[in-house]
PDB file of all heavy atoms in Angstrom:
ATOM      1  N   VAL A1061       4.868  10.951  14.838  1.00 95.00           N
ATOM      2  CA  VAL A1061       3.972  10.009  15.514  1.00 95.00           C
ATOM      3  C   VAL A1061       2.956   9.443  14.522  1.00 95.00           C
ATOM      4  O   VAL A1061       2.707   8.230  14.461  1.00 95.00           O
ATOM      5  CB  VAL A1061       3.259  10.692  16.696  1.00 95.00           C
ATOM      6  CG1 VAL A1061       2.195   9.770  17.286  1.00 95.00           C
ATOM      7  CG2 VAL A1061       4.270  11.087  17.772  1.00 95.00           C
ATOM      8  N   GLY A1062       2.359  10.338  13.753  1.00 95.00           N
ATOM      9  CA  GLY A1062       1.349   9.896  12.793  1.00 95.00           C
ATOM     10  C   GLY A1062       1.921   8.994  11.721  1.00 95.00           C
ATOM     11  O   GLY A1062       1.323   7.965  11.379  1.00 95.00           O
ATOM     12  N   SER A1063       3.089   9.337  11.167  1.00 93.00           N
ATOM     13  CA  SER A1063       3.662   8.542  10.084  1.00 93.00           C
ATOM     14  C   SER A1063       4.116   7.170  10.573  1.00 93.00           C
ATOM     15  O   SER A1063       4.058   6.188   9.813  1.00 93.00           O
ATOM     16  CB  SER A1063       4.831   9.288   9.436  1.00 93.00           C
ATOM     17  OG  SER A1063       5.937   9.410  10.314  1.00 93.00           O
ATOM     18  N   ALA A1064       4.558   7.079  11.829  1.00 93.00           N
ATOM     19  CA  ALA A1064       4.940   5.769  12.375  1.00 93.00           C
ATOM     20  C   ALA A1064       3.733   4.840  12.423  1.00 93.00           C
ATOM     21  O   ALA A1064       3.824   3.659  12.063  1.00 93.00           O
ATOM     22  CB  ALA A1064       5.547   5.937  13.763  1.00 93.00           C
ATOM     23  N   ALA A1065       2.600   5.378  12.848  1.00 93.00           N
ATOM     24  CA  ALA A1065       1.377   4.573  12.853  1.00 93.00           C
ATOM     25  C   ALA A1065       0.923   4.269  11.431  1.00 93.00           C
ATOM     26  O   ALA A1065       0.525   3.137  11.112  1.00 93.00           O
ATOM     27  CB  ALA A1065       0.281   5.315  13.611  1.00 93.00           C
ATOM     28  N   GLY A1066       1.002   5.268  10.562  1.00 91.00           N
ATOM     29  CA  GLY A1066       0.588   5.075   9.180  1.00 91.00           C
ATOM     30  C   GLY A1066       1.445   4.071   8.445  1.00 91.00           C
ATOM     31  O   GLY A1066       0.957   3.353   7.555  1.00 91.00           O
ATOM     32  N   GLY A1067       2.737   3.992   8.796  1.00 88.00           N
ATOM     33  CA  GLY A1067       3.617   3.018   8.160  1.00 88.00           C
ATOM     34  C   GLY A1067       3.161   1.591   8.386  1.00 88.00           C
ATOM     35  O   GLY A1067       3.195   0.752   7.473  1.00 88.00           O
ATOM     36  N   GLN A1068       2.697   1.313   9.597  1.00 88.00           N
ATOM     37  CA  GLN A1068       2.186  -0.028   9.884  1.00 88.00           C
ATOM     38  C   GLN A1068       0.878  -0.303   9.145  1.00 88.00           C
ATOM     39  O   GLN A1068       0.661  -1.392   8.623  1.00 88.00           O
ATOM     40  CB  GLN A1068       1.973  -0.187  11.398  1.00 88.00           C
ATOM     41  CG  GLN A1068       3.264  -0.269  12.195  1.00 88.00           C
ATOM     42  CD  GLN A1068       4.098  -1.476  11.804  1.00 88.00           C
ATOM     43  OE1 GLN A1068       3.650  -2.621  11.877  1.00 88.00           O
ATOM     44  NE2 GLN A1068       5.319  -1.221  11.358  1.00 88.00           N
ATOM     45  N   ILE A1069       0.028   0.718   9.077  1.00 88.00           N
ATOM     46  CA  ILE A1069      -1.234   0.567   8.341  1.00 88.00           C
ATOM     47  C   ILE A1069      -0.943   0.320   6.860  1.00 88.00           C
ATOM     48  O   ILE A1069      -1.528  -0.563   6.225  1.00 88.00           O
ATOM     49  CB  ILE A1069      -2.112   1.812   8.524  1.00 88.00           C
ATOM     50  CG1 ILE A1069      -2.526   1.966   9.990  1.00 88.00           C
ATOM     51  CG2 ILE A1069      -3.344   1.743   7.622  1.00 88.00           C
ATOM     52  CD1 ILE A1069      -3.211   3.291  10.291  1.00 88.00           C
ATOM     53  N   GLY A1070      -0.023   1.093   6.311  1.00 83.00           N
ATOM     54  CA  GLY A1070       0.326   0.940   4.907  1.00 83.00           C
ATOM     55  C   GLY A1070       0.922  -0.418   4.595  1.00 83.00           C
ATOM     56  O   GLY A1070       0.639  -1.005   3.537  1.00 83.00           O
ATOM     57  N   ALA A1071       1.742  -0.935   5.492  1.00 81.00           N
ATOM     58  CA  ALA A1071       2.341  -2.248   5.268  1.00 81.00           C
ATOM     59  C   ALA A1071       1.279  -3.344   5.250  1.00 81.00           C
ATOM     60  O   ALA A1071       1.336  -4.271   4.429  1.00 81.00           O
ATOM     61  CB  ALA A1071       3.381  -2.543   6.358  1.00 81.00           C
ATOM     62  N   ARG A1072       0.304  -3.236   6.133  1.00 82.00           N
ATOM     63  CA  ARG A1072      -0.773  -4.238   6.161  1.00 82.00           C
ATOM     64  C   ARG A1072      -1.581  -4.223   4.866  1.00 82.00           C
ATOM     65  O   ARG A1072      -1.986  -5.258   4.353  1.00 82.00           O
ATOM     66  CB  ARG A1072      -1.699  -3.987   7.359  1.00 82.00           C
ATOM     67  CG  ARG A1072      -1.067  -4.292   8.706  1.00 82.00           C
ATOM     68  CD  ARG A1072      -2.016  -3.937   9.841  1.00 82.00           C
ATOM     69  NE  ARG A1072      -1.436  -4.251  11.135  1.00 82.00           N
ATOM     70  CZ  ARG A1072      -1.588  -5.405  11.764  1.00 82.00           C
ATOM     71  NH1 ARG A1072      -2.331  -6.352  11.197  1.00 82.00           N
ATOM     72  NH2 ARG A1072      -1.039  -5.626  12.928  1.00 82.00           N
ATOM     73  N   ILE A1073      -1.810  -3.005   4.345  1.00 79.00           N
ATOM     74  CA  ILE A1073      -2.587  -2.884   3.114  1.00 79.00           C
ATOM     75  C   ILE A1073      -1.747  -3.266   1.896  1.00 79.00           C
ATOM     76  O   ILE A1073      -2.152  -4.058   1.051  1.00 79.00           O
ATOM     77  CB  ILE A1073      -3.120  -1.444   2.959  1.00 79.00           C
ATOM     78  CG1 ILE A1073      -4.095  -1.116   4.086  1.00 79.00           C
ATOM     79  CG2 ILE A1073      -3.790  -1.259   1.590  1.00 79.00           C
ATOM     80  CD1 ILE A1073      -4.523   0.337   4.120  1.00 79.00           C
ATOM     81  N   GLY A1074      -0.550  -2.698   1.800  1.00 71.00           N
ATOM     82  CA  GLY A1074       0.274  -2.869   0.622  1.00 71.00           C
ATOM     83  C   GLY A1074       0.701  -4.292   0.371  1.00 71.00           C
ATOM     84  O   GLY A1074       0.781  -4.736  -0.786  1.00 71.00           O
ATOM     85  N   ARG A1075       0.967  -5.056   1.415  1.00 67.00           N
ATOM     86  CA  ARG A1075       1.439  -6.421   1.242  1.00 67.00           C
ATOM     87  C   ARG A1075       0.347  -7.342   0.719  1.00 67.00           C
ATOM     88  O   ARG A1075       0.627  -8.456   0.280  1.00 67.00           O
ATOM     89  CB  ARG A1075       2.004  -6.963   2.564  1.00 67.00           C
ATOM     90  CG  ARG A1075       3.258  -6.238   3.025  1.00 67.00           C
ATOM     91  CD  ARG A1075       3.746  -6.700   4.378  1.00 67.00           C
ATOM     92  NE  ARG A1075       4.341  -8.027   4.276  1.00 67.00           N
ATOM     93  CZ  ARG A1075       3.905  -9.094   4.933  1.00 67.00           C
ATOM     94  NH1 ARG A1075       2.825  -8.991   5.695  1.00 67.00           N
ATOM     95  NH2 ARG A1075       4.518 -10.245   4.819  1.00 67.00           N
ATOM     96  N   ARG A1076      -0.897  -6.894   0.737  1.00 74.00           N
ATOM     97  CA  ARG A1076      -2.010  -7.706   0.246  1.00 74.00           C
ATOM     98  C   ARG A1076      -2.391  -7.350  -1.193  1.00 74.00           C
ATOM     99  O   ARG A1076      -3.282  -7.969  -1.763  1.00 74.00           O
ATOM    100  CB  ARG A1076      -3.224  -7.537   1.164  1.00 74.00           C
ATOM    101  CG  ARG A1076      -3.041  -8.197   2.531  1.00 74.00           C
ATOM    102  CD  ARG A1076      -4.183  -7.842   3.475  1.00 74.00           C
ATOM    103  NE  ARG A1076      -4.177  -8.659   4.672  1.00 74.00           N
ATOM    104  CZ  ARG A1076      -3.381  -8.458   5.715  1.00 74.00           C
ATOM    105  NH1 ARG A1076      -2.505  -7.457   5.688  1.00 74.00           N
ATOM    106  NH2 ARG A1076      -3.435  -9.252   6.776  1.00 74.00           N
ATOM    107  N   LEU A1077      -1.732  -6.351  -1.779  1.00 68.00           N
ATOM    108  CA  LEU A1077      -2.071  -5.937  -3.130  1.00 68.00           C
ATOM    109  C   LEU A1077      -1.336  -6.788  -4.166  1.00 68.00           C
ATOM    110  O   LEU A1077      -0.157  -7.091  -3.996  1.00 68.00           O
ATOM    111  CB  LEU A1077      -1.701  -4.467  -3.346  1.00 68.00           C
ATOM    112  CG  LEU A1077      -2.463  -3.432  -2.515  1.00 68.00           C
ATOM    113  CD1 LEU A1077      -1.911  -2.043  -2.804  1.00 68.00           C
ATOM    114  CD2 LEU A1077      -3.947  -3.489  -2.813  1.00 68.00           C
ATOM    115  N   SER A1078      -2.019  -7.150  -5.229  1.00 73.00           N
ATOM    116  CA  SER A1078      -1.364  -7.839  -6.336  1.00 73.00           C
ATOM    117  C   SER A1078      -0.468  -6.854  -7.071  1.00 73.00           C
ATOM    118  O   SER A1078      -0.645  -5.632  -6.953  1.00 73.00           O
ATOM    119  CB  SER A1078      -2.419  -8.389  -7.299  1.00 73.00           C
ATOM    120  OG  SER A1078      -3.095  -7.314  -7.941  1.00 73.00           O
ATOM    121  N   PRO A1079       0.524  -7.343  -7.857  1.00 68.00           N
ATOM    122  CA  PRO A1079       1.373  -6.416  -8.628  1.00 68.00           C
ATOM    123  C   PRO A1079       0.571  -5.475  -9.512  1.00 68.00           C
ATOM    124  O   PRO A1079       0.874  -4.286  -9.605  1.00 68.00           O
ATOM    125  CB  PRO A1079       2.246  -7.360  -9.454  1.00 68.00           C
ATOM    126  CG  PRO A1079       2.324  -8.607  -8.637  1.00 68.00           C
ATOM    127  CD  PRO A1079       0.978  -8.731  -7.974  1.00 68.00           C
ATOM    128  N   ALA A1080      -0.486  -5.991 -10.166  1.00 75.00           N
ATOM    129  CA  ALA A1080      -1.303  -5.141 -11.032  1.00 75.00           C
ATOM    130  C   ALA A1080      -2.020  -4.068 -10.224  1.00 75.00           C
ATOM    131  O   ALA A1080      -2.092  -2.899 -10.634  1.00 75.00           O
ATOM    132  CB  ALA A1080      -2.312  -5.990 -11.791  1.00 75.00           C
ATOM    133  N   MET A1081      -2.554  -4.450  -9.067  1.00 75.00           N
ATOM    134  CA  MET A1081      -3.247  -3.480  -8.216  1.00 75.00           C
ATOM    135  C   MET A1081      -2.271  -2.443  -7.669  1.00 75.00           C
ATOM    136  O   MET A1081      -2.588  -1.245  -7.589  1.00 75.00           O
ATOM    137  CB  MET A1081      -3.950  -4.194  -7.062  1.00 75.00           C
ATOM    138  CG  MET A1081      -4.724  -3.260  -6.138  1.00 75.00           C
ATOM    139  SD  MET A1081      -6.070  -2.392  -6.985  1.00 75.00           S
ATOM    140  CE  MET A1081      -7.194  -3.773  -7.280  1.00 75.00           C
ATOM    141  N   LEU A1082      -1.059  -2.891  -7.312  1.00 68.00           N
ATOM    142  CA  LEU A1082      -0.058  -1.975  -6.805  1.00 68.00           C
ATOM    143  C   LEU A1082       0.308  -0.937  -7.867  1.00 68.00           C
ATOM    144  O   LEU A1082       0.425   0.254  -7.582  1.00 68.00           O
ATOM    145  CB  LEU A1082       1.185  -2.742  -6.360  1.00 68.00           C
ATOM    146  CG  LEU A1082       2.293  -1.912  -5.700  1.00 68.00           C
ATOM    147  CD1 LEU A1082       1.762  -1.159  -4.495  1.00 68.00           C
ATOM    148  CD2 LEU A1082       3.448  -2.817  -5.294  1.00 68.00           C
ATOM    149  N   ARG A1083       0.454  -1.395  -9.107  1.00 71.00           N
ATOM    150  CA  ARG A1083       0.738  -0.444 -10.190  1.00 71.00           C
ATOM    151  C   ARG A1083      -0.422   0.531 -10.374  1.00 71.00           C
ATOM    152  O   ARG A1083      -0.208   1.718 -10.643  1.00 71.00           O
ATOM    153  CB  ARG A1083       1.013  -1.197 -11.492  1.00 71.00           C
ATOM    154  CG  ARG A1083       2.352  -1.887 -11.533  1.00 71.00           C
ATOM    155  CD  ARG A1083       2.675  -2.432 -12.919  1.00 71.00           C
ATOM    156  NE  ARG A1083       3.946  -3.119 -12.891  1.00 71.00           N
ATOM    157  CZ  ARG A1083       4.091  -4.415 -12.617  1.00 71.00           C
ATOM    158  NH1 ARG A1083       3.022  -5.149 -12.374  1.00 71.00           N
ATOM    159  NH2 ARG A1083       5.278  -4.967 -12.590  1.00 71.00           N
ATOM    160  N   ALA A1084      -1.645   0.052 -10.244  1.00 79.00           N
ATOM    161  CA  ALA A1084      -2.805   0.926 -10.380  1.00 79.00           C
ATOM    162  C   ALA A1084      -2.809   1.997  -9.293  1.00 79.00           C
ATOM    163  O   ALA A1084      -3.094   3.173  -9.559  1.00 79.00           O
ATOM    164  CB  ALA A1084      -4.090   0.105 -10.317  1.00 79.00           C
ATOM    165  N   VAL A1085      -2.483   1.601  -8.072  1.00 74.00           N
ATOM    166  CA  VAL A1085      -2.409   2.571  -6.975  1.00 74.00           C
ATOM    167  C   VAL A1085      -1.323   3.601  -7.263  1.00 74.00           C
ATOM    168  O   VAL A1085      -1.502   4.809  -7.039  1.00 74.00           O
ATOM    169  CB  VAL A1085      -2.142   1.851  -5.636  1.00 74.00           C
ATOM    170  CG1 VAL A1085      -1.887   2.865  -4.532  1.00 74.00           C
ATOM    171  CG2 VAL A1085      -3.322   0.965  -5.263  1.00 74.00           C
ATOM    172  N   ILE A1086      -0.181   3.137  -7.763  1.00 72.00           N
ATOM    173  CA  ILE A1086       0.914   4.049  -8.094  1.00 72.00           C
ATOM    174  C   ILE A1086       0.464   5.094  -9.105  1.00 72.00           C
ATOM    175  O   ILE A1086       0.740   6.289  -8.965  1.00 72.00           O
ATOM    176  CB  ILE A1086       2.120   3.253  -8.643  1.00 72.00           C
ATOM    177  CG1 ILE A1086       2.741   2.395  -7.540  1.00 72.00           C
ATOM    178  CG2 ILE A1086       3.179   4.202  -9.216  1.00 72.00           C
ATOM    179  CD1 ILE A1086       3.774   1.413  -8.047  1.00 72.00           C
ATOM    180  N   VAL A1087      -0.242   4.640 -10.138  1.00 78.00           N
ATOM    181  CA  VAL A1087      -0.694   5.559 -11.183  1.00 78.00           C
ATOM    182  C   VAL A1087      -1.675   6.585 -10.623  1.00 78.00           C
ATOM    183  O   VAL A1087      -1.574   7.789 -10.904  1.00 78.00           O
ATOM    184  CB  VAL A1087      -1.332   4.777 -12.346  1.00 78.00           C
ATOM    185  CG1 VAL A1087      -2.018   5.733 -13.318  1.00 78.00           C
ATOM    186  CG2 VAL A1087      -0.281   3.954 -13.074  1.00 78.00           C
ATOM    187  N   VAL A1088      -2.621   6.138  -9.810  1.00 79.00           N
ATOM    188  CA  VAL A1088      -3.611   7.057  -9.239  1.00 79.00           C
ATOM    189  C   VAL A1088      -2.939   8.106  -8.358  1.00 79.00           C
ATOM    190  O   VAL A1088      -3.205   9.314  -8.478  1.00 79.00           O
ATOM    191  CB  VAL A1088      -4.678   6.274  -8.435  1.00 79.00           C
ATOM    192  CG1 VAL A1088      -5.554   7.243  -7.645  1.00 79.00           C
ATOM    193  CG2 VAL A1088      -5.516   5.423  -9.366  1.00 79.00           C
ATOM    194  N   VAL A1089      -2.050   7.652  -7.476  1.00 74.00           N
ATOM    195  CA  VAL A1089      -1.354   8.601  -6.588  1.00 74.00           C
ATOM    196  C   VAL A1089      -0.469   9.529  -7.394  1.00 74.00           C
ATOM    197  O   VAL A1089      -0.395  10.727  -7.116  1.00 74.00           O
ATOM    198  CB  VAL A1089      -0.541   7.816  -5.531  1.00 74.00           C
ATOM    199  CG1 VAL A1089       0.319   8.791  -4.711  1.00 74.00           C
ATOM    200  CG2 VAL A1089      -1.456   7.044  -4.609  1.00 74.00           C
ATOM    201  N   GLY A1090       0.205   8.998  -8.393  1.00 74.00           N
ATOM    202  CA  GLY A1090       1.069   9.819  -9.215  1.00 74.00           C
ATOM    203  C   GLY A1090       0.320  10.904  -9.964  1.00 74.00           C
ATOM    204  O   GLY A1090       0.758  12.056 -10.039  1.00 74.00           O
TER     205      GLY A1090
END
């Protein structure tokens, strides 16, 4: 239930990130 809701939240956030910002997020999480 939680991940289904989180998937929509993540899509709203992720689709607004630039490629450089997306790579930065990847590095931080990694």
Side-chain angles (χ1 to χ4, degrees):
V1061 173
S1063 68
Q1068 289 298 302
I1069 296 171
R1072 290 177 179 269
I1073 296 172
R1075 294 175 73 240
R1076 289 172 168 79
L1077 295 177
S1078 67
M1081 181 62 69
L1082 185 57
R1083 287 189 182 89
V1085 173
I1086 292 170
V1087 170
V1088 170
V1089 173

